[in-house]
Amino acid sequence: MAKYEQYAKYKDSGVEWLGEIPSEWSISSIKYLSTLISTGGTPKNQISFTDEQEINWFTPSDFSGDFEIRTSAKYVTFDSVRCGESKLYPSNAILMIGIGATLGKIAICKTDFSCNQQINIIVPNKSVTLEFLAYSLIAQLEQIKQSSNSSTIGIINQDKTKQLVISLPAFIEQNQIIKYLDHETAQIDILIAKQEKLIELLKEKRQAVISHAVTKGLNPDVTMKDSGVEWLGEVPEHWTVSKFKYFASIQGGFAFSSDLFIEEGTQVLRIGNVYQNSLSLERQPIFIANDLVKNFQDFIVKKNDVLMSLTGTLGKRDYGFAIKVETDDQYLLNQRVAKISPNKNIDTDFMVYVLWSESYLTQLYSLPSGTKQANLSNSDVLGIEIVVPQNMQEQKEIARYIKEKLEKFDEMIAKAKSAIQLMQERRTALISSAVTGKIDVRNWRHPNEAKTEFGA
């Protein structure tokens, strides 16, 4: 932003977070810039969804990036919108999520629509352009969160939405700022998308390294044999093909009563704590008193124990995660999380990589049946065919090789994620600077424009 000049004169806006604004700008609360401020609603009767394009129906899950919303996500009939408390809203409206983890997220809808009660609707009047108001709201996400009702789940209602304040330049200047931000944020978004693509490619290569090493080994010249198992294909001749149950045993967790849960003590590991093949202790932790642990000796989890989550969503790969506990702390095993204990014929680290391999996971995810929830049984986990080197030293060498490779992949992924975070911060700062007048973009011109004369 150093390449942009500031305005010649500034004045105190009187709003702490806004600070000084250009002397010719004004400030205004949303209530004076809108023809409508409302909150969506859920019909008393069941909504009937339709595949035919009639009226868009939105929920917070339909929001994607800034301004973006999946307009073909769901449709409802006009009659179903009119029943109960749901309403039809006009085109060219701003939608703002009013509750939950994504509170304050903004989207623009340019068609008539309806939405549920978790979304606030703002229809701007002729004093402000639709996009400038949207950018101004994006710039004050933190202020929106701070103004939400004080509760465990943040909520911003109609009254608080009306009280939100933005700085307001002349109409022609609003359009210049929009043009500038549309171009600059699009360039940043392209760079972010490239980093996201890089991360996906690195993850694919990471998975390929694991899957190849635990089914083919490290020696490209080794004699191979037909495994007799479709998803394993050819394997090293001297490796053993057998069901997982001949290499490990499994133990389910305990159904702890919620009456036992307290704020501190010994953590009880639930499905959410065994997430993305990592021990995620910060995800909704629950504890029981330390002096009660002795009553659950069979469900104690210690360092080097291997755990797997057994329940998730059917059709999604959000379960079957496996971790090796690396910390020295002691935990307890909750229901629907299993502890898998290797026998003397398989190395613990090699076993974990087998559980991460595509050949194992493909079979694991094909097992559960039902409509929504996927539940793995102990026999599901142990009944899958795997291939294991007979020599323990070879297992350890493969495990070391995979670990070294994964560390390099994880380092590259971390760098890409850091780059994305910096670009997102740059994007937010750019929007904020432009819509609050901290930078003067009146003479900015699009690269395809021959010249720009502001106001001409």
Side-chain angles (χ1 to χ4, degrees):
M1 286 177 282
K3 63 180 179 180
Y4 298 107
E5 297 181 355
Q6 291 186 321
Y7 284 79
K9 294 182 179 180
Y10 285 86
K11 64 182 179 183
D12 184 7
S13 68
V15 179
E16 183 178 356
W17 74 269
L18 267 177
E20 290 189 331
I21 60 173
S23 58
E24 295 182 357
W25 289 28
S26 62
I27 63 167
S28 179
S29 58
I30 301 298
K31 66 180 178 181
Y32 297 120
L33 299 174
S34 309
T35 59
L36 172 69
I37 297 176
S38 183
T39 302
T42 299
K44 295 176 181 177
N45 300 324
Q46 182 68 34
I47 275 188
S48 57
F49 292 105
T50 175
D51 293 331
E52 298 179 6
Q53 186 167 349
E54 293 193 42
I55 299 167
N56 288 301
W57 169 265
F58 298 127
T59 66
S61 62
D62 297 319
F63 286 58
S64 45
D66 287 346
F67 290 13
E68 296 174 3
I69 195 163
R70 293 191 290 274
T71 57
S72 60
K74 294 181 290 291
Y75 300 105
V76 293
T77 63
F78 182 77
D79 288 341
S80 68
V81 169
R82 290 291 298 271
C83 71
E85 297 177 359
S86 189
K87 302 173 184 176
L88 181 65
Y89 295 101
S91 59
N92 295 320
I94 293 172
L95 289 71
M96 180 173 70
I97 298 177
I99 185 173
T102 54
L103 182 144
K105 196 166 188 179
I106 300 295
I108 286 176
C109 186
K110 295 193 174 183
T111 63
D112 292 351
F113 68 97
S114 188
C115 61
N116 75 2
Q117 72 277 12
Q118 294 177 305
I119 296 174
N120 294 334
I121 301 96
I122 305 168
V123 179
N125 61 28
K126 294 182 179 181
S127 301
V128 63
T129 61
L130 178 70
E131 291 82 2
F132 185 85
L133 179 55
Y135 274 126
S136 297
L137 291 170
I138 289 171
Q140 56 177 302
L141 177 60
E142 289 307 312
Q143 284 69 38
I144 290 172
K145 289 180 178 179
Q146 290 173 16
S147 67
S148 65
N149 295 339
S150 179
S151 63
T152 304
I153 301 177
I155 299 173
I156 182 164
N157 56 25
Q158 293 180 55
D159 290 337
K160 290 186 177 295
T161 300
K162 291 177 182 178
Q163 294 168 17
L164 295 174
V165 173
I166 71 166
S167 52
L168 196 65
F171 198 79
I172 192 170
E173 196 168 348
Q174 293 178 36
N175 287 327
Q176 173 71 359
I177 291 170
I178 292 166
K179 186 167 65 171
Y180 162 76
L181 288 177
D182 284 349
H183 177 268
E184 294 296 313
T185 58
Q187 299 307 302
I188 296 173
D189 289 342
I190 289 171
L191 297 176
I192 290 174
K194 287 181 178 179
Q195 290 298 312
E196 290 173 339
K197 179 63 175 177
L198 174 61
I199 289 172
E200 290 305 311
L201 291 172
L202 289 171
K203 286 181 177 179
E204 290 175 9
K205 290 182 178 181
R206 187 183 188 276
Q207 184 66 19
V209 165
I210 297 170
S211 299
H212 187 275
V214 299
T215 58
K216 311 299 179 186
L218 305 180
N219 182 2
D221 300 320
V222 69
T223 303
M224 306 293 281
K225 67 179 179 183
D226 183 5
S227 67
V229 180
E230 182 181 354
W231 61 85
L232 290 175
E234 286 196 334
V235 299
E237 188 176 47
H238 63 289
W239 287 25
T240 300
V241 178
S242 187
K243 289 187 176 181
F244 186 36
K245 66 181 181 180
Y246 296 112
F247 296 97
S249 59
I250 189 169
Q251 174 199 344
F254 183 78
F256 289 92
S257 170
S258 60
D259 295 338
L260 298 177
F261 298 155
I262 57 176
E263 294 295 322
E264 294 182 350
T266 298
Q267 186 165 354
V268 179
L269 298 181
R270 301 188 289 178
I271 292 171
N273 304 125
V274 184
Y275 184 70
Q276 298 288 349
N277 296 333
S278 297
L279 182 60
S280 304
L281 299 175
E282 74 286 353
R283 298 191 54 167
Q284 298 181 331
I286 58 173
F287 306 86
I288 70 167
N290 292 328
D291 58 3
L292 294 179
V293 173
K294 62 181 181 294
N295 300 329
F296 304 100
Q297 291 293 317
D298 292 339
F299 302 97
I300 291 176
V301 175
K302 297 177 292 186
K303 187 174 183 179
N304 295 323
D305 282 344
V306 176
L307 309 180
M308 177 183 282
S309 58
L310 301 180
T311 296
T313 308
L314 201 66
K316 293 185 179 180
R317 292 194 167 198
D318 60 359
Y319 61 102
F321 297 129
I323 62 149
K324 177 185 173 184
V325 178
E326 304 281 2
T327 68
D328 293 320
D329 295 326
Q330 180 175 272
Y331 309 98
L332 288 168
L333 194 67
N334 198 44
Q335 61 180 340
R336 306 311 300 155
V337 181
K339 179 163 67 175
I340 301 173
S341 302
N343 62 28
K344 63 180 181 179
N345 296 317
I346 191 168
D347 173 69
T348 301
D349 292 324
F350 181 86
M351 182 184 76
V352 171
Y353 293 133
V354 168
L355 298 177
W356 290 1
S357 69
E358 197 60 33
S359 59
Y360 183 86
L361 290 173
T362 298
Q363 297 310 305
L364 193 73
Y365 292 131
S366 70
L367 293 171
S369 59
T371 56
K372 292 184 179 180
Q373 192 175 70
N375 292 302
L376 294 171
S377 66
N378 291 354
S379 59
D380 287 337
V381 175
L382 296 181
I384 295 174
E385 298 271 4
I386 64 171
V387 57
V388 179
Q390 296 177 8
N391 186 288
M392 183 65 71
Q393 186 58 34
E394 185 176 4
Q395 294 182 35
K396 292 181 179 294
E397 288 176 0
I398 292 171
R400 280 196 295 270
Y401 168 83
I402 294 174
K403 182 180 180 182
E404 290 174 1
K405 288 290 187 180
L406 297 195
E407 286 175 349
K408 292 179 181 178
F409 279 119
D410 291 343
E411 182 179 351
M412 290 187 285
I413 290 171
K415 286 182 178 179
K417 287 182 176 179
S418 177
I420 289 173
Q421 182 176 351
L422 288 173
M423 285 185 281
Q424 288 173 335
E425 290 173 357
R426 157 74 176 172
R427 190 181 191 278
T428 300
L430 203 62
I431 293 171
S432 178
S433 295
V435 299
T436 60
K438 302 300 184 291
I439 57 175
D440 185 351
V441 300
R442 287 176 294 178
N443 293 319
W444 174 86
R445 68 184 184 193
H446 191 280
N448 295 333
E449 293 179 356
K451 64 178 181 178
T452 297
E453 293 182 5
F454 180 75

